[in-house]
Amino acid sequence: MQNIVDCEEHMPKVDTIRLRNKHIGKSCQLFYKTDPLKIVRGQGQYMYDEEGSRYLDCINNVAHVGHCHPKVVEAGARQIATLSTNNRFLHDELVKCAQTLASKMPGNLSVCYFVNSGSEANDLALRLARQHTKRQEIITLDHAYHGHVSAVMEISPYKFNQPGGDPQPDFVHVAPCPDVYRGKHRDCDYPEDTDMGQLYADEVARLVENSRSGIAAFIAESLQSCGGQIIPPKDYFKKVYKIIRDAGGITIADEVQVGFGRIGTHYWAFEPHNVVPDIVTVAKPMGNGHPVGAVVTTPEIAESFASTGVCYFNTYGGNPVSCAIANAVMRVIDEENLQENALTVGKYLLEQSRSLRFEYDVVGDVRGTGLFIGIELVTNQKERTPATKMAKDVVDRMKNTHKILVSSDGPNNNVIKLKPPMVFNAENADEFLYGFRECLTYLENLEKSHGSEVRSVLTIPVPATGGLCSLANKTISEKREKLIKSV
């Protein structure tokens, strides 16, 4: 357990802001820009500010097994007190980490390269793909984000489509995001039995047919996060992988956001789609906040990469400390049954969140799996018009009134994203649901009042324990009625 005294702020918040404004680039964004949080410590699924206020963390998929997990902290401290050096010496933590990663992969995915981040992992995956295929062209998905280094910014429409972004390179082809709620092909625009996966796969096929020199690789997040917590339609990846492989390309699964058991049903988010990628990239949750990532591929692709005679060298990728921490994280996931927890708690949270569609006109689609959930807010359920301002207001009110941290994303920034640490429990789910209902009720009534003096008092304090399990047993109508009466 961290010593709280050691985690006190070193300077007043106003000085922290002043120094940040002076020395940190303006493009480095903060959560809650108008009223940023100063977080001084974390534990489990909670973070604490400089005043000691506790916040329920529904944002941090990075602190995968919980902030400052004692077993992870101990493993890192022990190793850094013993040896921290580059990876061109033999050491056991690296080979054990590779062995464990490979054991959790299906098929022939058995060769690992260690890096420092998801950006590096995806950059290296592109190099592997291009060397193996002797081609350059890449197919990516609209709204995708694969990292911040130049090579992966070029395949990230989430970045290059922004005002001021670099233009899309001619060797990058963008396929529509397989979003059946808001994408190019919406489920409401087709008969009920339409194969939506085929419609979106056909879009990829057309890009392959129009390729000038052949496709090197298709890269996609197994579940698109920045694009709005997108769950691809049935058989989409299976159909796309066949199209790409038949054309001589290879497939890359980006698991940087969603791997290591987060989806509950499987360890990797590509597995429910019954596909085995040629390359898998992992990072964020792997180090529980420590910078470590990896690329896992087949012996054949690894041999193609080695055949150039150019050595791959990454000074810190796979260093003893990083690997010790990654090994501890994977042990904790298994020992504490965190994948099973994600399945159980995630199922409950998803079911309860879906019920909100029948309570609130502003709730459009609710989608997810495990502890990866998106709640899309709309101004009109039939037209599916994005409620961007409402989403921002919900994010702010959840923080200010309920001490619950959520974020919004998606092309219209109207999807409330939930990606909490894997120790998130049913009590936390109830706390979120209670606060979220209060926010929706307050904001809906505020909107209806058109700024009149009423509706300004609805603030429901969350119990200090965060426990609202008894509330979860009430019917939806009872909850709705209670909230409305309190206005």
Side-chain angles (χ1 to χ4, degrees):
M1 182 75 68
Q2 282 182 302
N3 187 332
I4 296 177
V5 175
D6 293 341
C7 296
E8 292 179 349
E9 62 175 348
H10 299 292
M11 64 182 73
K13 182 176 178 179
V14 64
D15 289 345
T16 304
I17 294 173
R18 178 179 57 80
L19 287 176
R20 183 181 177 94
N21 289 339
K22 181 178 180 180
H23 297 296
I24 304 300
K26 291 182 179 179
S27 58
C28 299
Q29 292 187 342
L30 288 165
F31 286 125
Y32 314 107
K33 287 181 287 187
T34 58
D35 182 25
L37 278 174
K38 183 175 182 180
I39 298 298
V40 298
R41 73 182 181 98
Q43 196 68 46
Q45 60 272 57
Y46 303 105
M47 296 196 296
Y48 299 81
D49 68 14
E50 79 283 3
E51 296 179 345
S53 297
R54 189 197 75 176
Y55 294 84
L56 177 62
D57 183 4
C58 299
I59 293 175
N60 260 295
N61 60 326
V62 177
H64 193 63
V65 299
H67 293 278
C68 304
H69 192 289
K71 291 182 179 179
V72 176
V73 172
E74 193 276 333
R78 183 180 63 249
Q79 184 58 54
I80 201 169
T82 304
L83 174 69
S84 179
T85 186
N86 68 51
N87 65 10
R88 290 203 282 188
F89 297 98
L90 282 172
H91 64 87
D92 292 341
E93 294 290 352
L94 180 136
V95 295
K96 286 192 297 183
C97 192
Q99 181 184 41
T100 303
L101 266 180
S103 72
K104 295 183 179 298
M105 293 285 174
N108 203 22
L109 292 163
S110 58
V111 181
C112 301
Y113 299 85
F114 288 95
V115 295
N116 301 295
S117 68
S119 296
E120 282 193 7
N122 285 324
D123 176 82
L124 179 56
L126 295 181
R127 290 177 59 192
L128 290 168
R130 285 166 169 158
Q131 173 59 31
H132 186 69
T133 62
K134 301 297 191 294
R135 297 172 177 177
Q136 180 75 3
E137 296 179 45
I138 304 293
I139 294 179
T140 187
L141 295 180
D142 202 6
H143 314 308
Y145 175 62
H146 295 290
H148 63 79
V149 299
S150 295
V152 290
M153 286 280 281
E154 291 177 338
I155 61 166
S156 296
Y158 182 77
K159 290 294 185 180
F160 68 62
N161 277 342
Q162 291 187 14
D166 291 333
Q168 176 183 335
D170 58 7
F171 56 81
V172 174
H173 308 285
V174 179
C177 170
D179 176 2
V180 300
Y181 183 75
R182 184 176 299 287
K184 181 176 181 178
H185 303 291
R186 304 188 307 171
D187 52 11
C188 62
D189 297 329
Y190 295 88
E192 189 173 339
D193 59 350
T194 300
D195 187 343
M196 300 300 292
Q198 186 65 59
L199 286 176
Y200 277 106
D202 288 343
E203 299 284 350
V204 176
R206 280 189 279 274
L207 293 176
V208 171
E209 291 169 3
N210 294 329
S211 168
R212 295 178 299 278
S213 58
I215 300 298
F218 167 84
I219 183 170
E221 298 166 86
S222 302
L223 301 172
Q224 200 176 76
S225 180
C226 291
Q229 307 293 85
I230 303 302
I231 311 296
K234 182 181 178 183
D235 292 334
Y236 171 73
F237 279 123
K238 184 182 291 186
K239 296 174 188 294
V240 168
Y241 276 28
K242 185 178 188 306
I243 291 166
I244 297 298
R245 285 168 173 161
D246 286 350
I250 65 172
T251 57
I252 303 171
D254 181 340
E255 292 271 333
V256 170
Q257 299 262 21
V258 293
F260 294 91
R262 174 163 294 280
I263 67 167
T265 57
H266 298 79
Y267 206 80
W268 308 112
F270 64 77
E271 292 182 281
H273 300 284
N274 296 312
V275 295
V276 179
D278 300 301
I279 300 174
V280 179
T281 59
V282 297
K284 293 183 191 298
M286 184 177 175
N288 210 54
H290 183 84
V292 58
V295 177
V296 188
T297 190
T298 65
E300 293 77 16
I301 292 175
E303 182 58 35
S304 293
F305 194 57
S307 68
T308 64
V310 178
C311 293
Y312 174 72
F313 173 54
N314 185 319
T315 303
Y316 297 112
N319 72 79
V321 177
S322 295
C323 288
I325 288 172
N327 285 328
V329 168
M330 289 186 282
R331 283 196 301 271
V332 168
I333 294 170
D334 293 341
E335 292 170 359
E336 299 186 5
N337 301 314
L338 294 184
Q339 181 181 327
E340 291 79 1
N341 181 69
L343 178 63
T344 303
V345 176
K347 182 179 179 182
Y348 169 72
L349 181 56
L350 185 62
E351 288 174 350
Q352 293 295 312
S353 296
R354 281 177 172 161
S355 72
L356 298 174
R357 292 177 297 180
F358 305 102
E359 295 183 69
Y360 299 96
D361 294 336
V362 74
V363 178
D365 193 35
V366 179
R367 49 189 177 261
T369 174
L371 291 175
F372 179 89
I373 293 173
I375 303 173
E376 183 149 356
L377 303 185
V378 296
T379 59
N380 184 298
Q381 288 186 342
K382 183 177 180 181
E383 299 298 326
R384 304 184 177 185
T385 312
T388 301
K389 183 181 183 302
M390 173 73 83
K392 180 185 183 301
D393 291 342
V394 166
V395 170
D396 289 341
R397 189 170 179 81
M398 287 290 278
K399 174 184 78 88
N400 297 329
T401 301
H402 299 284
K403 300 291 189 290
I404 299 173
L405 306 182
V406 297
S407 63
S408 61
D409 218 325
N412 302 106
N413 207 30
N414 68 314
V415 180
I416 302 299
K417 297 170 60 173
L418 299 177
K419 297 183 297 180
M422 296 278 278
V423 291
F424 196 84
N425 57 38
E427 191 175 75
N428 300 142
D430 286 328
E431 183 176 350
F432 164 78
L433 290 162
Y434 190 63
F436 195 62
R437 278 191 168 93
E438 187 278 333
C439 289
L440 294 183
T441 301
Y442 174 81
L443 293 169
E444 276 194 352
N445 280 282
L446 190 65
E447 192 172 278
K448 290 175 183 176
S449 72
H450 297 291
S452 67
E453 69 279 6
V454 298
R455 312 299 193 265
S456 62
V457 295
L458 181 54
T459 301
I460 303 175
V462 178
T465 61
L468 292 161
C469 292
S470 60
L471 181 63
N473 294 324
K474 295 180 180 291
T475 65
I476 293 172
S477 60
E478 287 174 333
K479 298 173 192 173
R480 176 72 163 161
E481 182 180 358
K482 180 178 179 181
L483 285 169
I484 291 175
K485 284 181 179 180
S486 68
V487 178

